């Protein structure tokens, strides 16, 4: 009797024993930018978070001559800014049958730990998307603004609470950048911009200007092959220019991050908790609470309506 093996598909072993390859884009670029620059901190104290703003000085000066009566000093004026944290959470559920498989080494990786990691990634990504958005008191697009309320204060009433906002309605140009930079730096704002944030497209458009404001390092110094795009970072007047995935393509932010306070305040750092069991499985909750605090809104600026 002969045996003819024509197919052994059912007997073949999988030749990839590693974890599943991640095909989803779930990074949190703005959150990561703040974190890498020491701008994600734990908030101390209760909520809402409040701080005081001086809008009128108490000092009074005058020119005087001998024998002139003294004038009276001015009266200071203050307003209170208040912010409440916003919240994001995600869940990971693992059935009892899956737990059995993991316990008996029936999976290539710890699927339960992977599920919790996924929930953590998704939750931070959702928090990042809030920071990128335009919801009042949440998103940078609303916080760096000339007309939106922020921290309970209306810039129509307290005019020194308005950010510099320029509607360009056209292509990015050096003259537009120069005007924004000069207006932020000059009186009465007195800012010292430390970073420019845009999406990738406006960063690319700026680089395409090939102006001397962009320092291009000879490729020999970098040990690279010939490449017209070889750079040693992009900057404008020495201010680093960062491309942040997710920023609206038609917007640019010129920020003074040394001005008073500019940071993400965490009322609850990413936290994992196991929920009470209601089925044969187990459910994890991942949650985060926080807000973006811009202590001096006046010293921040943005351009809108840039050509895409």
């Amino acid at each position: 009797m002969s045996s003819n093996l024509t197919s052994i598909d059912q007997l073949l072993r999988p030749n990839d024993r590693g974890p599943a390859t991640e095909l989803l884009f779930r990074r949190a670029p703005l959150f990561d930018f703040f974190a890498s620059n020491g701008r994600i901190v734990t908030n101390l104290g209760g909520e809402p978070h409040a701080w005081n703003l001086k809008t009128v000085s108490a000092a009074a000066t005058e020119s005087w001559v001998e024998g002139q009566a003294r004038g009276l000093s001015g009266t200071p004026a203050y307003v209170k800014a208040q912010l409440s944290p916003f919240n994001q959470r995600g869940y990971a559920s693992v059935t009892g049958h899956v737990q059995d498989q993991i316990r008996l080494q029936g999976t290539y990786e710890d699927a339960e730990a992977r599920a919790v990691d996924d929930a953590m990634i998704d939750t931070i990504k959702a928090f990042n998307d809030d920071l990128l958005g335009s919801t009042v008191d949440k998103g940078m697009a609303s916080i760096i603004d000339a007309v939106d309320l922020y921290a309970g204060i209306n810039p129509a009433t307290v005019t020194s609470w308005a950010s510099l906002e320029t509607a360009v309605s056209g292509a990015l140009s050096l003259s537009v950048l120069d005007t924004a930079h000069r207006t932020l730096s000059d009186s009465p704002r007195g800012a010292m911009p430390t970073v420019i944030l845009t999406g990738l497209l406006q960063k690319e458009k700026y680089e395409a200007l090939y102006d001397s404001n962009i320092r291009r390092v000879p490729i020999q110094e970098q040990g690279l092959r010939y490449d017209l795009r070889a750079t040693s970072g992009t900057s404008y007047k020495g201010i680093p220019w960062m491309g942040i995935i997710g920023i609206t393509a038609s917007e640019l932010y010129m920020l003074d991050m040394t001005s008073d306070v500019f940071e993400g305040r965490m009322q609850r750092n990413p936290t994992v908790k196991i929920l009470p069991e209601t089925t044969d499985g187990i459910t994890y909750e991942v949650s985060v609470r926080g807000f973006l605090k811009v202590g001096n809104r006046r010293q921040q600026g943005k351009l809108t309506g840039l050509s895409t």
Side-chain angles (χ1 to χ4, degrees):
M1 178 179 290
S2 63
S3 176
N4 184 17
L5 289 176
T6 59
S7 175
I8 57 170
D9 287 349
Q10 292 80 10
L11 302 178
L12 289 176
R13 293 178 178 175
N15 56 16
D16 184 350
R17 290 183 166 273
T21 301
E22 177 72 70
L23 297 181
L24 304 173
F25 181 85
R26 297 189 297 169
R27 284 161 45 199
L30 186 59
F31 185 90
D32 291 343
F33 169 77
F34 287 140
S36 65
N37 286 276
R39 298 286 170 175
I40 296 292
V41 300
T42 300
N43 192 45
L44 300 177
E47 54 185 273
H49 177 75
W51 69 102
N52 291 318
L53 304 169
K54 181 186 283 188
T55 59
V56 176
S57 173
T61 63
E62 62 181 359
S63 298
W64 60 281
V65 296
E66 185 69 25
Q68 178 178 325
R70 291 185 174 90
L72 298 176
S73 62
T75 301
Y78 297 90
V79 293
K80 179 178 288 188
Q82 288 193 140
L83 275 177
S84 294
F86 59 91
N87 317 313
Q88 283 289 351
R89 63 186 178 188
Y91 301 94
S93 295
V94 185
T95 68
H97 291 183
V98 170
Q99 289 179 302
D100 291 341
Q101 293 274 35
I102 297 169
R103 178 172 51 82
L104 297 172
Q105 301 180 356
T107 59
Y108 291 139
E109 59 179 313
D110 188 336
E112 186 170 345
R114 179 67 175 259
V116 175
D117 285 345
D118 282 348
M120 178 70 74
I121 292 169
D122 287 339
T123 301
I124 295 176
K125 174 66 165 57
F127 189 82
N128 174 85
D129 292 346
D130 280 338
L131 292 175
L132 283 168
S134 57
T135 301
V136 171
D137 284 348
K138 283 187 181 182
M140 188 170 66
S142 175
I143 294 171
I144 312 302
D145 195 85
V147 298
D148 283 3
L149 274 71
Y150 172 57
I153 301 174
N154 190 340
T157 304
V158 181
T159 56
S160 55
W161 194 233
S163 300
L164 174 66
E165 182 175 353
T166 304
V168 178
S169 300
L172 178 67
S173 67
L174 289 175
S175 63
V176 167
L177 288 169
D178 289 344
T179 300
H181 183 267
R182 181 177 63 254
T183 306
L184 280 172
S185 303
D186 204 355
S187 176
R189 297 179 187 274
M192 298 179 63
T194 57
V195 69
I196 294 173
L197 303 182
T198 65
L200 301 184
L201 179 62
Q202 294 303 330
K203 181 173 182 286
E204 183 179 289
K205 286 180 176 292
Y206 174 67
E207 291 171 343
L209 295 174
Y210 282 98
D211 187 83
S212 59
N213 287 306
I214 305 175
R215 179 171 181 261
R216 295 195 173 275
V217 178
I219 17 199
Q220 292 88 341
E221 294 182 23
Q222 301 184 68
L224 302 173
R225 292 179 293 177
Y226 184 69
D227 183 353
L228 284 174
R229 293 290 183 178
T231 68
S232 179
T234 300
S235 64
Y236 164 78
K237 293 188 175 182
I239 304 169
W241 190 305
M242 308 299 296
I244 303 293
I245 297 171
I247 288 181
T248 300
S250 60
E251 294 182 350
L252 175 150
Y253 295 86
M254 190 175 289
L255 307 176
D256 183 351
M257 298 187 73
T258 64
S259 166
D260 192 64
V261 174
F262 195 124
E263 59 196 11
R265 293 286 187 98
M266 307 308 295
Q267 196 72 19
R268 178 187 299 173
N269 289 303
T271 301
V272 179
K273 107 171 47 164
I274 300 176
L275 300 182
E277 292 189 29
T278 58
T279 64
D280 183 44
I282 189 171
T283 298
Y284 297 88
E285 179 187 87
V286 180
S287 59
V288 60
R289 305 182 67 227
F291 54 90
L292 179 59
K293 179 180 179 181
V294 179
N296 192 336
R297 195 188 196 194
R298 187 183 209 180
Q299 295 186 327
Q300 320 301 331
K302 74 175 177 180
L303 306 178
T304 64
L306 294 168
S307 299
T308 58

